[in-house]
PDB file of all heavy atoms in Angstrom:
ATOM      1  N   THR H 194     -23.827  -4.526 -42.124  1.00 97.00           N
ATOM      2  CA  THR H 194     -23.355  -5.287 -43.281  1.00 97.00           C
ATOM      3  C   THR H 194     -22.189  -6.191 -42.889  1.00 97.00           C
ATOM      4  O   THR H 194     -22.180  -7.372 -43.184  1.00 97.00           O
ATOM      5  CB  THR H 194     -22.932  -4.313 -44.400  1.00 97.00           C
ATOM      6  OG1 THR H 194     -24.051  -3.473 -44.706  1.00 97.00           O
ATOM      7  CG2 THR H 194     -22.500  -5.070 -45.647  1.00 97.00           C
ATOM      8  N   ARG H 195     -21.224  -5.606 -42.194  1.00 97.00           N
ATOM      9  CA  ARG H 195     -20.101  -6.409 -41.722  1.00 97.00           C
ATOM     10  C   ARG H 195     -19.407  -5.734 -40.549  1.00 97.00           C
ATOM     11  O   ARG H 195     -19.588  -4.537 -40.321  1.00 97.00           O
ATOM     12  CB  ARG H 195     -19.122  -6.681 -42.856  1.00 97.00           C
ATOM     13  CG  ARG H 195     -18.419  -5.462 -43.391  1.00 97.00           C
ATOM     14  CD  ARG H 195     -17.509  -5.854 -44.577  1.00 97.00           C
ATOM     15  NE  ARG H 195     -16.616  -4.774 -44.912  1.00 97.00           N
ATOM     16  CZ  ARG H 195     -16.945  -3.685 -45.611  1.00 97.00           C
ATOM     17  NH1 ARG H 195     -18.184  -3.539 -46.049  1.00 97.00           N
ATOM     18  NH2 ARG H 195     -16.053  -2.755 -45.852  1.00 97.00           N
ATOM     19  N   ILE H 196     -18.636  -6.530 -39.841  1.00 98.00           N
ATOM     20  CA  ILE H 196     -17.930  -6.048 -38.648  1.00 98.00           C
ATOM     21  C   ILE H 196     -16.430  -6.155 -38.900  1.00 98.00           C
ATOM     22  O   ILE H 196     -15.946  -7.227 -39.277  1.00 98.00           O
ATOM     23  CB  ILE H 196     -18.343  -6.862 -37.407  1.00 98.00           C
ATOM     24  CG1 ILE H 196     -19.857  -6.725 -37.182  1.00 98.00           C
ATOM     25  CG2 ILE H 196     -17.561  -6.409 -36.172  1.00 98.00           C
ATOM     26  CD1 ILE H 196     -20.434  -7.659 -36.128  1.00 98.00           C
ATOM     27  N   VAL H 197     -15.729  -5.054 -38.698  1.00 98.00           N
ATOM     28  CA  VAL H 197     -14.288  -5.011 -38.964  1.00 98.00           C
ATOM     29  C   VAL H 197     -13.537  -4.815 -37.643  1.00 98.00           C
ATOM     30  O   VAL H 197     -14.127  -4.421 -36.639  1.00 98.00           O
ATOM     31  CB  VAL H 197     -13.948  -3.873 -39.957  1.00 98.00           C
ATOM     32  CG1 VAL H 197     -14.676  -4.077 -41.286  1.00 98.00           C
ATOM     33  CG2 VAL H 197     -14.284  -2.502 -39.368  1.00 98.00           C
ATOM     34  N   PRO H 198     -12.227  -5.077 -37.643  1.00 97.00           N
ATOM     35  CA  PRO H 198     -11.443  -4.898 -36.409  1.00 97.00           C
ATOM     36  C   PRO H 198     -11.394  -3.424 -35.983  1.00 97.00           C
ATOM     37  O   PRO H 198     -11.483  -2.520 -36.824  1.00 97.00           O
ATOM     38  CB  PRO H 198     -10.036  -5.374 -36.795  1.00 97.00           C
ATOM     39  CG  PRO H 198     -10.231  -6.248 -37.990  1.00 97.00           C
ATOM     40  CD  PRO H 198     -11.407  -5.682 -38.723  1.00 97.00           C
ATOM     41  N   ALA H 199     -11.235  -3.203 -34.679  1.00 96.00           N
ATOM     42  CA  ALA H 199     -11.049  -1.838 -34.169  1.00 96.00           C
ATOM     43  C   ALA H 199      -9.835  -1.231 -34.852  1.00 96.00           C
ATOM     44  O   ALA H 199      -8.797  -1.870 -34.987  1.00 96.00           O
ATOM     45  CB  ALA H 199     -10.842  -1.865 -32.664  1.00 96.00           C
ATOM     46  N   GLY H 200      -9.979  -0.005 -35.308  1.00 95.00           N
ATOM     47  CA  GLY H 200      -8.882   0.652 -36.008  1.00 95.00           C
ATOM     48  C   GLY H 200      -9.100   0.694 -37.509  1.00 95.00           C
ATOM     49  O   GLY H 200      -8.441   1.449 -38.212  1.00 95.00           O
ATOM     50  N   ASP H 201     -10.055  -0.116 -38.004  1.00 97.00           N
ATOM     51  CA  ASP H 201     -10.322  -0.124 -39.447  1.00 97.00           C
ATOM     52  C   ASP H 201     -11.294   0.965 -39.881  1.00 97.00           C
ATOM     53  O   ASP H 201     -11.388   1.281 -41.058  1.00 97.00           O
ATOM     54  CB  ASP H 201     -10.854  -1.488 -39.894  1.00 97.00           C
ATOM     55  CG  ASP H 201      -9.732  -2.452 -40.241  1.00 97.00           C
ATOM     56  OD1 ASP H 201      -8.577  -2.165 -39.840  1.00 97.00           O
ATOM     57  OD2 ASP H 201      -9.991  -3.469 -40.898  1.00 97.00           O
ATOM     58  N   LEU H 202     -12.036   1.531 -38.933  1.00 98.00           N
ATOM     59  CA  LEU H 202     -12.875   2.686 -39.271  1.00 98.00           C
ATOM     60  C   LEU H 202     -12.093   3.942 -38.920  1.00 98.00           C
ATOM     61  O   LEU H 202     -11.470   4.023 -37.858  1.00 98.00           O
ATOM     62  CB  LEU H 202     -14.177   2.673 -38.461  1.00 98.00           C
ATOM     63  CG  LEU H 202     -15.204   1.607 -38.776  1.00 98.00           C
ATOM     64  CD1 LEU H 202     -16.415   1.752 -37.836  1.00 98.00           C
ATOM     65  CD2 LEU H 202     -15.656   1.686 -40.225  1.00 98.00           C
ATOM     66  N   ASP H 203     -12.150   4.915 -39.797  1.00 98.00           N
ATOM     67  CA  ASP H 203     -11.530   6.199 -39.489  1.00 98.00           C
ATOM     68  C   ASP H 203     -12.330   6.859 -38.360  1.00 98.00           C
ATOM     69  O   ASP H 203     -13.540   7.087 -38.508  1.00 98.00           O
ATOM     70  CB  ASP H 203     -11.542   7.083 -40.743  1.00 98.00           C
ATOM     71  CG  ASP H 203     -10.795   8.393 -40.544  1.00 98.00           C
ATOM     72  OD1 ASP H 203     -10.680   8.846 -39.382  1.00 98.00           O
ATOM     73  OD2 ASP H 203     -10.342   8.960 -41.546  1.00 98.00           O
ATOM     74  N   PRO H 204     -11.683   7.171 -37.232  1.00 98.00           N
ATOM     75  CA  PRO H 204     -12.412   7.754 -36.091  1.00 98.00           C
ATOM     76  C   PRO H 204     -13.137   9.053 -36.426  1.00 98.00           C
ATOM     77  O   PRO H 204     -14.109   9.405 -35.761  1.00 98.00           O
ATOM     78  CB  PRO H 204     -11.300   8.018 -35.060  1.00 98.00           C
ATOM     79  CG  PRO H 204     -10.201   7.092 -35.410  1.00 98.00           C
ATOM     80  CD  PRO H 204     -10.255   6.939 -36.913  1.00 98.00           C
ATOM     81  N   GLU H 205     -12.680   9.758 -37.464  1.00 97.00           N
ATOM     82  CA  GLU H 205     -13.368  10.994 -37.878  1.00 97.00           C
ATOM     83  C   GLU H 205     -14.718  10.680 -38.509  1.00 97.00           C
ATOM     84  O   GLU H 205     -15.584  11.547 -38.592  1.00 97.00           O
ATOM     85  CB  GLU H 205     -12.548  11.756 -38.939  1.00 97.00           C
ATOM     86  CG  GLU H 205     -11.103  11.968 -38.622  1.00 97.00           C
ATOM     87  CD  GLU H 205     -10.836  13.213 -37.789  1.00 97.00           C
ATOM     88  OE1 GLU H 205     -11.811  13.836 -37.340  1.00 97.00           O
ATOM     89  OE2 GLU H 205      -9.656  13.527 -37.592  1.00 97.00           O
ATOM     90  N   ASN H 206     -14.869   9.464 -39.024  1.00 98.00           N
ATOM     91  CA  ASN H 206     -16.046   9.143 -39.835  1.00 98.00           C
ATOM     92  C   ASN H 206     -17.048   8.239 -39.129  1.00 98.00           C
ATOM     93  O   ASN H 206     -18.044   7.835 -39.717  1.00 98.00           O
ATOM     94  CB  ASN H 206     -15.611   8.489 -41.151  1.00 98.00           C
ATOM     95  CG  ASN H 206     -14.694   9.395 -41.946  1.00 98.00           C
ATOM     96  OD1 ASN H 206     -14.674  10.610 -41.729  1.00 98.00           O
ATOM     97  ND2 ASN H 206     -13.920   8.824 -42.848  1.00 98.00           N
ATOM     98  N   VAL H 207     -16.779   7.930 -37.876  1.00 98.00           N
ATOM     99  CA  VAL H 207     -17.744   7.158 -37.098  1.00 98.00           C
ATOM    100  C   VAL H 207     -18.973   8.031 -36.878  1.00 98.00           C
ATOM    101  O   VAL H 207     -18.851   9.186 -36.472  1.00 98.00           O
ATOM    102  CB  VAL H 207     -17.131   6.750 -35.735  1.00 98.00           C
ATOM    103  CG1 VAL H 207     -18.198   6.195 -34.807  1.00 98.00           C
ATOM    104  CG2 VAL H 207     -16.007   5.743 -35.948  1.00 98.00           C
ATOM    105  N   VAL H 208     -20.137   7.503 -37.152  1.00 98.00           N
ATOM    106  CA  VAL H 208     -21.363   8.284 -36.965  1.00 98.00           C
ATOM    107  C   VAL H 208     -21.992   7.969 -35.604  1.00 98.00           C
ATOM    108  O   VAL H 208     -22.390   8.857 -34.876  1.00 98.00           O
ATOM    109  CB  VAL H 208     -22.354   8.040 -38.114  1.00 98.00           C
ATOM    110  CG1 VAL H 208     -23.677   8.749 -37.852  1.00 98.00           C
ATOM    111  CG2 VAL H 208     -21.741   8.519 -39.435  1.00 98.00           C
ATOM    112  N   THR H 209     -22.088   6.701 -35.272  1.00 98.00           N
ATOM    113  CA  THR H 209     -22.593   6.299 -33.962  1.00 98.00           C
ATOM    114  C   THR H 209     -21.444   5.690 -33.164  1.00 98.00           C
ATOM    115  O   THR H 209     -20.980   4.599 -33.498  1.00 98.00           O
ATOM    116  CB  THR H 209     -23.729   5.266 -34.100  1.00 98.00           C
ATOM    117  OG1 THR H 209     -24.845   5.883 -34.735  1.00 98.00           O
ATOM    118  CG2 THR H 209     -24.160   4.734 -32.742  1.00 98.00           C
ATOM    119  N   PRO H 210     -20.977   6.365 -32.122  1.00 98.00           N
ATOM    120  CA  PRO H 210     -19.917   5.778 -31.298  1.00 98.00           C
ATOM    121  C   PRO H 210     -20.420   4.515 -30.591  1.00 98.00           C
ATOM    122  O   PRO H 210     -21.611   4.413 -30.246  1.00 98.00           O
ATOM    123  CB  PRO H 210     -19.602   6.885 -30.284  1.00 98.00           C
ATOM    124  CG  PRO H 210     -20.099   8.155 -30.915  1.00 98.00           C
ATOM    125  CD  PRO H 210     -21.306   7.736 -31.713  1.00 98.00           C
ATOM    126  N   GLY H 211     -19.510   3.590 -30.374  1.00 98.00           N
ATOM    127  CA  GLY H 211     -19.852   2.292 -29.800  1.00 98.00           C
ATOM    128  C   GLY H 211     -20.528   2.353 -28.444  1.00 98.00           C
ATOM    129  O   GLY H 211     -21.199   1.396 -28.049  1.00 98.00           O
ATOM    130  N   ILE H 212     -20.391   3.443 -27.738  1.00 98.00           N
ATOM    131  CA  ILE H 212     -21.023   3.589 -26.418  1.00 98.00           C
ATOM    132  C   ILE H 212     -22.538   3.416 -26.509  1.00 98.00           C
ATOM    133  O   ILE H 212     -23.180   3.027 -25.533  1.00 98.00           O
ATOM    134  CB  ILE H 212     -20.665   4.969 -25.815  1.00 98.00           C
ATOM    135  CG1 ILE H 212     -21.035   5.054 -24.331  1.00 98.00           C
ATOM    136  CG2 ILE H 212     -21.267   6.107 -26.611  1.00 98.00           C
ATOM    137  CD1 ILE H 212     -20.509   6.303 -23.635  1.00 98.00           C
ATOM    138  N   TYR H 213     -23.091   3.650 -27.691  1.00 98.00           N
ATOM    139  CA  TYR H 213     -24.544   3.570 -27.859  1.00 98.00           C
ATOM    140  C   TYR H 213     -25.027   2.197 -28.332  1.00 98.00           C
ATOM    141  O   TYR H 213     -26.224   2.014 -28.540  1.00 98.00           O
ATOM    142  CB  TYR H 213     -25.018   4.637 -28.859  1.00 98.00           C
ATOM    143  CG  TYR H 213     -24.788   6.056 -28.382  1.00 98.00           C
ATOM    144  CD1 TYR H 213     -23.996   6.941 -29.095  1.00 98.00           C
ATOM    145  CD2 TYR H 213     -25.380   6.502 -27.201  1.00 98.00           C
ATOM    146  CE1 TYR H 213     -23.794   8.248 -28.655  1.00 98.00           C
ATOM    147  CE2 TYR H 213     -25.179   7.801 -26.753  1.00 98.00           C
ATOM    148  CZ  TYR H 213     -24.386   8.666 -27.484  1.00 98.00           C
ATOM    149  OH  TYR H 213     -24.193   9.944 -27.036  1.00 98.00           O
TER     150      TYR H 213
END
Side-chain angles (χ1 to χ4, degrees):
Chain H
T194 303
R195 66 183 193 282
I196 300 170
V197 300
D201 273 16
L202 290 179
D203 185 335
E205 311 274 7
N206 301 340
V207 169
V208 175
T209 294
I212 192 171
Y213 296 120

